[in-house]
Amino acid sequence: MAECGGLYVISAPSGAGKNALLAEVRLRETRIASTVSATTRAPRPGEQDGVDYHFLGRDTFQRRVAAGDFAEWAEVHDNLYGTLRSELDRCLATGNDVILELDVQGMRSLKRLYPGVGTIFLAPPSMAELERRLRNRGTNDEADIALRLRNAEKEMAARVEFQYIIVNDTIDRAAAEMVELLAARRAARTAADADTR
Ligand code: 5GP
């Protein structure tokens, strides 16, 4: 039987450092496949279509929603974001662990679709630190920062719905914790597979 990887959702308030953390985790653990989401948000400087996101116009996005192309989708910060079924199938077929980066609504949808999904919330050390990181990023205007901070309060309140909470105090420590978590769940799956043989 082909090895089946674990399925994970990671959510984090904007500015918590999810991209940097996942980049570090991917350096340390190569058996990871990540879905590329679709979004109607404009690309940030340096972002590439098909790599960071599939950037779609709102009409195209909505047409693909109607066609049933999305496993889940949600409106976040006034833009549409979603996971294409084709992306999810491509990642699942690799046999690697699959990590989806979703907002809290997306996490809830995935839990309905795949009750065994591992859910991880990445939290900033504090709200003050989150605000500082958002400002330092320099890619969001004041209105957008205010919106992201308001959403962050709501997302922090939802962290109790997740199985694991990792605090992103330093990338090094948080990445080590996440790699350990993936390894522990992989070992548990292997043990469970052996039991059923
Ligand atoms: P950003 O605009 O900063 O790249 O992402 C904003 C938010 O959208 C983040 O919370 C991110 O996790 C979420 N997001 C990105 N892709 C998806 C997706 O495919 N589905 C859902 N539900 N949320 C997503």
Side-chain angles (χ1 to χ4, degrees), residues 18 37 41 44 53 72 74 81-83 101-103 106 148:
K18 185 177 52 168
S37 291
R41 151 166 100 53
R44 295 193 188 116
Y53 280 105
E72 65 75 40
Y81 293 81
T83 309
E101 303 169 40
L102 308 179
D103 80 319
R148 281 166 192 266

Side-chain angles (χ1 to χ4, degrees), residues 10-14 18-19 37-39 41 44 47 53 72-74 76-77 81-84 101-107 137 148 155:
I10 183 164
S11 302
S14 183
K18 185 177 52 168
N19 291 347
S37 291
T39 184
R41 151 166 100 53
R44 295 193 188 116
E47 283 185 336
Y53 280 105
E72 65 75 40
W73 66 277
V76 190
H77 311 141
Y81 293 81
T83 309
L84 290 162
E101 303 169 40
L102 308 179
D103 80 319
V104 171
Q105 307 167 74
M107 178 277 290
R137 188 149 83 178
R148 281 166 192 266
E155 284 162 352

Side-chain angles (χ1 to χ4, degrees), residues 3 17 21 24 30 34 44 50 58 78 84 93 118 138 140-141 143 172 174 181 188-189 191 195:
E3 197 191 334
L21 172 83
E24 183 59 30
T30 53
S34 301
R44 295 193 188 116
R58 208 168 243 265
D78 295 338
L84 290 162
N140 307 95
D141 63 30
D172 186 51
L181 191 162
R189 267 197 319 278
D195 276 354

Side-chain angles (χ1 to χ4, degrees), residues 76-139:
V76 190
H77 311 141
D78 295 338
N79 281 300
L80 305 178
Y81 293 81
T83 309
L84 290 162
R85 287 183 196 281
S86 54
E87 269 296 311
L88 190 52
D89 291 345
R90 176 185 68 76
C91 287
L92 290 171
T94 64
N96 289 333
D97 286 339
V98 177
I99 300 183
L100 285 81
E101 303 169 40
L102 308 179
D103 80 319
V104 171
Q105 307 167 74
M107 178 277 290
R108 291 181 187 135
S109 302
L110 253 286
K111 246 170 53 173
R112 280 193 295 273
L113 276 174
Y114 299 94
V117 65
T119 55
I120 304 167
F121 187 84
L122 183 70
S126 67
M127 290 305 282
E129 175 62 15
L130 185 75
E131 183 167 354
R132 198 188 63 78
R133 289 180 189 177
L134 272 176
R135 286 186 193 287
N136 274 1
R137 188 149 83 178
T139 51

